[in-house]
Amino acid sequence: VVTHEKMWALANWVPSKTNVDAKIVYRQWWHDAGADFNANPELAAVYNFGGLTQNEPNGFKQPDGGGYYKTFDSPENWAEYFAWYLNQEDKPPLGGMTDPQQYAEGLKSNGYFGASVQEYANGIIDGMKNIPSGAPDMSLVDESKFKGINVGSSKNNSNSNNNPANNTQMADN
């Protein structure tokens, strides 16, 4: 089971790649994965804290859609991929977002979730009370577990040759 402190440290790693506020990243993960990051134990076991799916069959079928849940080797691998995902979205670009409402609107426009914008934004905002107090313990981030994904830039104009997601989708939440 991953801890709040570990996820808070990883959420603080993401802004260096996306310029998305760490508090928004953490709150989104808390909303998507549940208060203990284990709302769906099968997804938590493969470090998928957002219901990220793919079209390529991998044996982990999404029950309410046509895709397959992506699997990750570690929470670091998830955070790295999530940063890449944020940098790919451009309807509107998500990089640099600091407002939970605007961020939710951007995610919705990019097809990340199926709920109403207000419902999703409220879920992100509700996560604020669960952010660990104090500075993140960055020693909890194991740099050796990153896969070296070229996450692109927060301006969403990257054409990375290291594309880890063919036909990536997000599950309806």
Side-chain angles (χ1 to χ4, degrees):
V1 173
V2 68
T3 65
H4 287 272
E5 290 76 14
K6 169 87 169 199
M7 294 302 281
W8 178 230
L10 287 168
N12 276 271
W13 176 88
V14 170
S16 69
K17 308 299 181 189
T18 65
N19 290 327
V20 174
D21 185 277
K23 290 178 182 176
I24 291 176
V25 170
Y26 180 86
R27 293 184 292 188
Q28 180 187 0
W29 293 349
W30 178 89
H31 171 68
D32 286 350
D36 60 359
F37 299 102
N38 195 34
N40 182 328
E42 289 180 340
L43 287 178
V46 295
Y47 307 108
N48 187 333
F49 301 109
L52 189 63
T53 64
Q54 63 188 31
N55 289 331
E56 181 181 333
N58 66 358
F60 198 10
K61 185 88 171 104
Q62 177 190 11
D64 59 350
Y68 297 82
Y69 286 115
K70 288 190 74 54
T71 62
F72 300 92
D73 298 336
S74 67
E76 286 82 359
N77 183 213
W78 157 258
E80 184 178 40
Y81 189 92
F82 186 79
W84 176 88
Y85 179 85
L86 290 179
N87 286 337
Q88 302 312 302
E89 299 306 326
D90 61 2
K91 303 173 200 159
L94 299 173
M97 294 244 174
T98 59
D99 178 76
Q101 181 72 34
Q102 289 177 335
Y103 183 68
E105 290 168 5
L107 288 170
K108 178 72 170 184
S109 294
N110 282 289
Y112 183 86
F113 61 89
S116 75
V117 169
Q118 197 56 54
E119 179 183 348
Y120 199 82
N122 287 343
I124 293 172
I125 292 165
D126 286 347
M128 182 65 172
K129 62 184 173 252
N130 295 295
I131 293 175
S133 61
D137 180 357
M138 298 308 285
S139 71
L140 296 174
V141 176
D142 184 346
E143 297 279 337
S144 72
K145 293 191 176 178
F146 289 119
K147 299 286 186 180
I149 295 170
N150 178 354
V151 299
S153 71
S154 64
K155 296 179 182 165
N156 295 302
N157 60 1
S158 172
N159 291 321
S160 171
N161 291 328
N162 186 9
N163 182 344
N166 294 324
N167 302 314
T168 299
Q169 305 167 347
M170 295 307 288
D172 288 345
N173 291 330

